[in-house]
Amino acid sequence: MRRVVCKELGDPADLLIEDVPPLDPAAPGRVVVDVKAAGVNFVDALFVRGKYQIKPQPPFTPGGEVAGIVRDGGDGVTGFTPGDRVIASCGLGAFAEQVDVAESSLYPLPGDIDFATGATLVQSYATALFSLERRTQLRSGEWVLVLGAGGGVGRACIDVARHLGGRAIGVASSVEKRRAATEAGAFATIDPTTEDVKTRARELSHGGVDVVVDPVGGSLAEPALRALRTYGRYLVIGFAAGEIPRLPTNQILLNNRSVIGVDWGAWGMQNPDDNRALVDEAVRLVAEGELHPAKPTVFPLERAGDVLGDLEQRRIVGKVVLEP
Ligand SMILES: NC(=O)c1ccc[n+]([C@@H]2O[C@H](COP(=O)([O-])OP(=O)(O)OC[C@H]3O[C@@H](n4cnc5c(N)ncnc54)[C@H](OP(=O)(O)O)[C@@H]3O)[C@@H](O)[C@H]2O)c1
């Protein structure tokens, strides 16, 4: 079977394709899945560059989420049988024709969700639900300022905010990304390259937003914090801009604001049952038409390096999947 391999940490352009023996039969407690689509996330690029908090040693196959069909279950696997449609959050290994995952990482994929969409659900939507339902409880009518609104997490947060009755304002750097934010349900968008984010967000929300969703960091963080009204909550999700911002704490004290950390991955490992319920909720809401993930752009497996490069260069709108 073919797989993408990272032989040396660094530029995703150096990723290779190699042919290796099939992964089945599965080991005890493990499930071998024939990959139909692998979701591409910013964190995959961080793994390849060796810049993520977890640093796998090369050689390894990147790819943290997948949709496919169960080929084989090892001894002790009781919940899945060959032929089942599944999605999984697997950390690594998904950029391949087959992936080997723990049974505990697998979720059933309903027939009304296609494989490409299924491969993009877990990371973005679990993070969005965890952020807006668990780390803060977004209330109907609240204003949510979403940075990186045309990216995976940002767009999903707009969709979830809309679902919860919130009014999202999307901040994104290109016309295409702002259009994607609007299609996801944003009430309004802001172009940070030409508009003052704090002033415009305050105008649009008639005085200040209730929640900031920040998967980007960098120079937009402080204006976003200053856009919060009294009791506003600032959700720290990620640092796609590459710079971890230093927020002025007087701006947290003023107006009794709160800064809230969001680490869905660690929470999921510490609370596997709660995480299973969260992912099942995301899948159910998509299947029922309550949430609307974007239709992903599809590339062949061989383009993994290009796609990760495009992600790093901010050229990707919405989500991308690789199909073997
Ligand atoms: N805490 C958690 O539990 C959790 C879970 C999932 C993901 N994350 C993190 O969330 C962040 C976003 O993930 P994602 O999948 O949404 O990524 P994404 O799809 O690539 O979107 C990130 C957005 O960040 C903006 N950006 C600004 N400067 C950038 C730069 N130098 N390089 C790349 N993007 C830049 C871009 O929007 P503009 O062009 O509009 O500025 C881009 O659309 C990542 O850091 C990821 O590790 C955290």
Side-chain angles (χ1 to χ4, degrees):
M1 68 111 184
R2 288 175 315 128
R3 69 179 181 195
V4 174
V5 61
C6 171
K7 297 222 168 186
E8 213 172 307
L9 298 180
D11 193 336
D14 296 333
L15 289 173
L16 301 171
I17 294 271
E18 65 178 14
D19 231 324
V20 294
L23 299 184
D24 52 312
R30 311 283 302 181
V31 176
V32 173
V33 175
D34 286 334
V35 176
K36 292 292 181 187
V40 181
N41 291 286
F42 195 83
V43 69
D44 302 322
L46 295 177
F47 271 124
V48 172
R49 290 215 179 259
K51 288 188 173 169
Y52 194 57
Q53 55 254 40
I54 302 162
K55 298 189 197 319
Q57 285 310 302
F60 64 85
T61 294
E65 65 180 324
V66 66
I69 295 177
V70 171
R71 171 169 285 267
D72 189 43
D75 285 349
V77 170
T78 54
F80 297 91
T81 52
D84 285 353
R85 302 171 91 250
V86 290
I87 53 174
S89 175
C90 51
L92 293 171
F95 295 175
E97 287 179 332
Q98 290 184 332
V99 63
D100 161 52
V101 295
E103 183 185 12
S104 56
S105 303
L106 277 185
Y107 301 83
L109 179 66
D112 37 14
I113 304 177
D114 61 81
F115 287 112
T117 302
T120 66
L121 288 187
V122 180
Q123 285 203 22
S124 302
Y125 275 87
T127 301
L129 283 171
F130 181 60
S131 300
L132 293 172
E133 281 191 336
R134 311 296 209 270
R135 295 300 289 128
T136 192
Q137 287 79 44
L138 187 72
R139 292 180 287 268
S140 186
E142 286 194 314
W143 289 94
V144 188
L145 182 67
V146 180
L147 307 184
V153 171
R155 191 202 171 283
C157 283
I158 289 176
D159 195 12
V160 168
R162 177 204 49 74
H163 166 68
L164 297 173
R167 284 173 287 189
I169 301 169
V171 180
S173 66
S174 70
V175 174
E176 293 77 16
K177 288 180 181 178
R178 291 193 293 280
R179 191 180 306 128
T182 303
E183 283 166 9
F187 173 86
T189 58
I190 298 175
D191 177 356
T193 65
T194 60
E195 297 177 278
D196 181 287
V197 169
K198 181 193 89 174
T199 307
R200 190 69 189 121
R202 283 174 166 249
E203 280 170 7
L204 287 164
S205 59
H206 313 294
V209 298
D210 300 284
V211 173
V212 168
V213 166
D214 183 7
V216 180
S219 60
L220 290 182
E222 185 171 337
L225 174 66
R226 289 173 183 266
L228 281 171
R229 69 171 76 227
T230 302
Y231 301 123
R233 296 98 80 195
Y234 188 109
L235 298 167
V236 180
I237 298 182
F239 313 106
E243 182 200 330
I244 298 175
R246 292 174 178 273
L247 296 173
T249 50
N250 65 316
Q251 286 297 324
I252 302 168
L253 176 153
L254 291 171
N255 294 315
N256 290 290
R257 293 162 172 150
S258 304
V259 175
I260 299 170
V262 176
D263 190 348
W264 163 67
W267 173 84
M269 278 188 263
Q270 290 154 8
N271 303 276
D273 293 343
D274 291 342
N275 189 43
R276 176 156 290 277
L278 182 83
V279 175
D280 284 341
E281 178 187 347
V283 173
R284 179 181 57 78
L285 289 170
V286 172
E288 290 173 354
E290 297 291 331
L291 292 175
H292 307 97
K295 198 154 185 53
T297 310
V298 178
F299 286 96
L301 201 55
E302 291 71 14
R303 298 285 305 280
D306 299 337
V307 170
L308 289 179
D310 283 347
L311 209 60
E312 290 183 320
Q313 296 302 316
R314 303 161 75 173
R315 288 194 284 259
I316 300 286
V317 181
K319 296 295 294 186
V320 170
V321 297
L322 300 172
E323 288 185 356

